Amino acid sequence: MRKRILTGDRPTGPLHLGHYVGSLANRVRLQDEYDTYVLIADVQALTDNFEHPEKLEANIFEVACDYLAVGLDPEKAKFVVQSMVPELPELTIYLMNLVTVATLERNPTVKEEIKQRNFAKGVPVGFYTYPISQAADITIFKAELVPVGEDQLPMIEQAREIVRRFNRLYRKVLIEPKAMLGQMARLPGTDGGAKMSKSLNNSISLGDPSEVVRKRVMSMFTDPTRIHPTDPGHVEGNPVFTYHEVFNPNKDEIEDLKDRYRKGTVGDVAVKQKLFDALEKFLGPIRERRNQFASQPKRVHEIIMEGTRKGRAVAQATMAEVRDAMRLSYKFDS
Ligand code: ATP
Ligand code: MG
C-alpha cells in the first residue's frame, strides 16, 4: 500500500500565496508518490466562524477550485469535506481523553490565534480543542506525512503524542505523522505581518485578478526607515524582497535590485513593479485554470463528492480498528 498524505485547509476564503509555498506546492509535487487526501476543514472553520455557517458552502467550492488550479489531480489527491465524515468527530471524542487541559493551554499556535481573534465572549471550547480534532483528521487517514506551514508544527507534535498514547494504551493502530514544511515555512503578509492569512486581510489570493494583485503589491509594506528613493534601504525583513526570493525566478535581477536598493539607487515603486511582473507570470496560468473550473460547478461538485466518498471509506476502516482496539466492538447481538 502506498504511504498516505493528509493535509488540508479551512474554507474561510480563497487560498493565497502563503498556502502555495507553505503546503500546496508540496502536495502537487508528492501526489504521484503518496496516496493523498486533502481535507476541506469546514468543521474546524466553524470553531471561529460559527456565527457565519452560510459562508462555508461557497468557500468549499472556492478552495476546491484553488486545488484544481494549482495542479492537484483529483484522481490522485482526494478532496474530502470534513463535516461529511461523521467518523471524525467520533474519533475526536475518544482522543480527547488522551490530552490534558494543561497541554492544550501550552499550544503556542492556539495561544497566538486566540490573541488575534479576540473572542468577545471568551474562547469557545471547540476552538480550544481543535488540535485534538486535527489529530483525528490526520490519524484517521493513517497519514505518514503532513505538508503544512510552520504554524501547524505544534499541531503535528500534538498528534504524535496522541498516537503514542493511543498505541501504548490500546493497540498499535494509529501512525505517528511527520510534518513537511514548504519552501517558505511562513510567508509574511503584504502588511509586513508575520503570516499571510485569510483572516488578516493581508493576502494575495491565487485567483485574484491582475488589477487586485497590482494594488496589493503597490501598497505593500516595505522598509519603514526609507523615506526617499535615494535613501539606502533594508532588504532583510522587507516582504517585497522576500516575495521576490520566492516568486521571481530571475536571480540576477533580484541580486541587482537588492544591490541598488541598499545603495539607494532604485525606488520602491520599481522594485514592486518587477515583483508584480514576476507574480503575474506565476499567477496567470493558475488564474486561467481556476476560471475554467469555476465555470464548471457541476464537475467540481462531483470531484468533491467522489473524493469525500473515498475518504470516508478510509475513515470507516480505521474506525473499525479503533473501536476494536478500544474494546468497543461489543458483541451484544451474537
Ligand atoms: P485562517 O486565517 O482562516 O486560519 P490561513 O490563511 O491560516 O486561514 P489555513 O486554512 O489555516 O489558512 O491553513 C492551511 C494550510 O496553509 C496550513 O498548513 C498552514 O500552515 C498553511 N499556511 C497558511 N498560511 C501560510 C503562510 N502564510 N505561510 C506558509 N504556510 C501557510
Ligand atoms: Mg490558519
Side-chain angles (χ1 to χ4, degrees):
M1 202 174 71
R2 274 195 308 161
K3 290 182 179 179
R4 289 202 188 114
I5 277 182
L6 181 282
T7 182
D9 308 279
R10 298 155 27 104
T12 47
L15 302 184
H16 50 64
L17 296 175
H19 294 108
Y20 188 84
V21 288
S23 173
L24 288 171
N26 272 337
R27 302 180 201 177
V28 174
R29 188 169 61 82
L30 295 170
Q31 63 181 340
D32 292 317
E33 201 181 320
Y34 285 80
D35 186 21
T36 299
Y37 294 83
V38 184
L39 197 70
I40 307 185
D42 56 341
V43 178
Q44 193 184 115
L46 277 175
T47 62
D48 57 342
N49 292 281
F50 55 90
E51 283 161 329
H52 297 288
E54 74 283 356
K55 291 185 181 168
L56 290 174
E57 190 168 354
N59 282 335
I60 291 171
F61 179 75
E62 296 294 323
V63 168
C65 288
D66 286 323
Y67 291 162
L68 294 163
V70 296
L72 283 177
D73 173 352
E75 295 291 321
K76 299 170 188 159
K78 279 72 74 183
F79 308 166
V80 183
V81 178
Q82 193 179 26
S83 65
M84 293 171 83
V85 183
E87 289 73 19
L88 286 172
E90 183 188 355
L91 181 58
T92 303
I93 292 284
Y94 300 150
L95 298 186
M96 279 183 166
N97 299 327
L98 309 184
V99 181
T100 62
V101 173
T103 312
L104 287 177
E105 275 169 355
R106 279 197 299 270
N107 188 305
T109 298
V110 175
K111 271 195 208 163
E112 174 67 31
E113 290 178 341
I114 286 173
K115 227 188 279 165
Q116 265 173 19
R117 280 160 181 76
N118 202 10
F119 293 104
K121 292 185 180 144
V123 184
V125 173
F127 187 83
Y128 208 64
T129 54
Y130 94 72
I132 306 174
S133 67
Q134 201 167 310
D137 300 340
I138 298 167
T139 55
I140 215 164
F141 286 93
K142 298 197 176 181
E144 310 219 2
L145 202 62
V146 192
V148 282
E150 192 178 51
D151 60 304
Q152 292 303 309
L153 291 181
M155 307 304 160
I156 311 299
E157 203 37 56
Q158 175 71 86
R160 291 170 63 86
E161 262 176 59
I162 289 175
V163 169
R164 287 195 291 268
R165 279 207 84 184
F166 184 100
N167 287 349
R168 240 193 345 254
L169 213 61
Y170 304 121
R171 182 164 17 101
K172 193 174 178 319
V173 171
L174 304 180
I175 290 179
E176 253 186 86
K178 283 194 190 70
M180 175 185 242
L181 294 178
Q183 178 198 1
M184 188 79 199
R186 186 185 290 248
L187 189 75
T190 53
D191 58 355
K195 179 176 172 279
M196 180 178 282
S197 171
K198 287 181 236 122
S199 315
L200 297 176
N201 192 29
N202 63 1
S203 56
I204 295 175
S205 299
L206 297 171
D208 274 345
S210 272
E211 267 326 292
V212 175
V213 177
R214 180 191 295 279
K215 270 195 203 125
R216 277 280 172 176
V217 170
M218 289 305 171
S219 59
M220 263 182 84
F221 178 91
T222 57
D223 176 3
T225 64
R226 198 177 196 226
I227 304 185
H228 309 288
T230 48
D231 296 345
H234 296 89
V235 164
E236 283 70 32
N238 183 331
V240 178
F241 281 98
T242 307
Y243 289 17
H244 262 295
E245 302 269 8
V246 183
F247 297 103
N248 187 350
N250 186 345
K251 300 300 163 207
D252 292 340
E253 180 173 86
I254 304 175
E255 281 319 304
D256 173 58
L257 288 173
K258 278 184 177 173
D259 194 43
R260 290 195 285 141
Y261 197 81
R262 288 197 182 100
K263 288 186 191 140
T265 57
V266 66
D268 278 304
V269 174
V271 181
K272 285 177 172 177
Q273 180 60 46
K274 294 270 190 228
L275 175 62
F276 171 70
D277 294 342
L279 281 177
E280 270 301 289
K281 275 213 188 92
F282 170 71
L283 288 173
I286 294 178
R287 186 185 296 135
E288 203 171 301
R289 275 199 301 274
R290 198 182 190 287
N291 288 340
Q292 268 169 23
F293 283 109
S295 68
Q296 303 172 68
K298 192 160 170 284
R299 181 162 167 220
V300 176
H301 290 152
E302 277 166 11
I303 289 171
I304 294 172
M305 288 306 296
E306 183 58 16
T308 301
R309 197 186 57 72
K310 288 181 179 151
R312 183 155 188 217
V314 174
Q316 284 171 327
T318 305
M319 280 317 285
E321 284 183 72
V322 164
R323 284 186 214 110
D324 207 44
M326 293 180 71
R327 315 286 184 93
L328 295 171
S329 38
Y330 308 126
K331 307 272 184 311
F332 292 149
D333 58 351
S334 57

